[in-house]
Amino acid sequence: MKSFFNKLFSFFGLILASPQLLLFYLSSEKEVILADVRRWVEIFEWDKRADIQNLLFLTIKNQEFRNLYYFRIAKGNLPARLLLKVIKLFYKECRYLLLDLSSNIGPGLFIQHGLSTIIMADMGQNCWVNQQVSIGYKDKTGRPKIGDNVRITAGAKVLGNITLGNNVTVGANAVVLKNVPDNCVVVGVPAYIVKKNGLKVKEELV
């Protein structure tokens, strides 16, 4: 009986969220949106369903995904952007998560918890960001450029005109103000390298 009611609530939830599909079908950003959906489903280890069904479930159940979805729509074509203004009146954004529209973010961004998180940077694909993370300007010189498969964990700050290479992990509460090479783990304030290409090290950033 409990399973029946769960399925019933899920069905009605999908119906209520169905206007989100209008955004998707109008948008020029379908490919990157579906890449996001598949990445989130993979991380959540959900049962296999159609991409569109998963898209609806994500917009219902996860505010962080909803913000990312709206970010993708807002980066796309005019008809979808206009409809987005109406949709947002009924399906609210997560107010404590900012994805700045000047950013260019590759497919597959996963935001585990978006509490007090700001992303103002260009990012590669399949990145992972946790709560209370700030990524953006330190001054007028520029903002970060972040590679593929980068994970930035809780409370970290990545600031200024710097580059984070591919496969970098930024430890909790680290403050990164200098370039980080590929395949590194950095921790500390200011951040330094503790693992490089799979080997334990202790190196300053330059």
Side-chain angles (χ1 to χ4, degrees), residues 6-203:
N6 285 339
K7 289 179 180 178
L8 188 63
F9 287 136
S10 293
F11 174 74
F12 283 116
L14 289 174
I15 292 175
L16 289 173
S18 59
Q20 298 282 7
L21 288 183
L22 294 176
L23 283 177
F24 176 77
Y25 286 118
L26 277 177
S27 177
S28 58
E29 303 299 298
K30 295 181 184 68
E31 186 175 336
V32 69
I33 290 168
L34 290 178
D36 291 337
V37 168
R38 291 165 188 153
R39 177 95 194 286
W40 285 60
V41 167
E42 179 185 4
I43 291 170
F44 287 149
E45 298 181 342
W46 285 0
D47 294 335
K48 289 186 178 180
R49 289 188 289 254
D51 287 335
I52 295 302
Q53 191 175 0
N54 284 327
L55 170 62
L56 286 178
F57 273 118
L58 284 165
T59 58
I60 294 166
K61 295 182 177 183
N62 196 288
Q63 282 190 312
E64 287 87 354
F65 180 85
R66 193 182 303 158
N67 277 43
L68 178 61
Y69 181 50
Y70 290 168
F71 172 85
R72 301 301 192 194
I73 298 295
K75 297 287 281 187
N77 56 337
L78 181 60
R81 294 202 309 269
L82 292 174
L83 179 60
L84 178 61
K85 294 180 183 297
V86 177
I87 292 291
K88 281 184 176 181
L89 297 175
F90 302 96
Y91 304 90
K92 302 294 185 182
E93 292 179 280
C94 177
R95 293 185 178 180
Y96 48 76
L97 169 63
L98 172 64
L99 303 175
D100 190 83
L101 281 177
S102 68
S103 303
N104 294 304
I105 298 175
L109 173 63
F110 179 71
I111 304 167
Q112 187 171 30
H113 303 291
L115 178 64
S116 301
T117 290
I118 298 171
I119 299 176
M120 190 179 292
D122 296 329
M123 305 181 75
Q125 61 185 5
N126 294 330
C127 292
W128 179 310
V129 176
N130 280 84
Q131 70 270 24
Q132 296 179 319
V133 165
S134 294
I135 307 170
Y137 290 89
K138 181 182 69 172
D139 51 37
K140 295 180 180 180
T141 60
R143 64 187 189 184
K145 297 176 179 64
I146 296 171
D148 299 335
N149 307 308
V150 172
R151 185 165 183 163
I152 303 174
T153 61
K157 309 292 185 288
V158 180
L159 304 172
N161 186 18
I162 61 174
T163 299
L164 272 61
N166 299 326
N167 310 309
V168 165
T169 297
V170 179
N173 298 312
V175 177
V176 185
L177 303 175
K178 295 181 179 180
N179 295 336
V180 180
D182 292 349
N183 308 312
C184 287
V185 177
V186 297
V187 301
V189 183
Y192 59 93
I193 301 171
V194 293
K195 186 178 285 188
K196 189 173 186 179
N197 297 317
L199 299 175
K200 290 183 179 181
V201 298
K202 187 174 182 180
E203 295 182 11

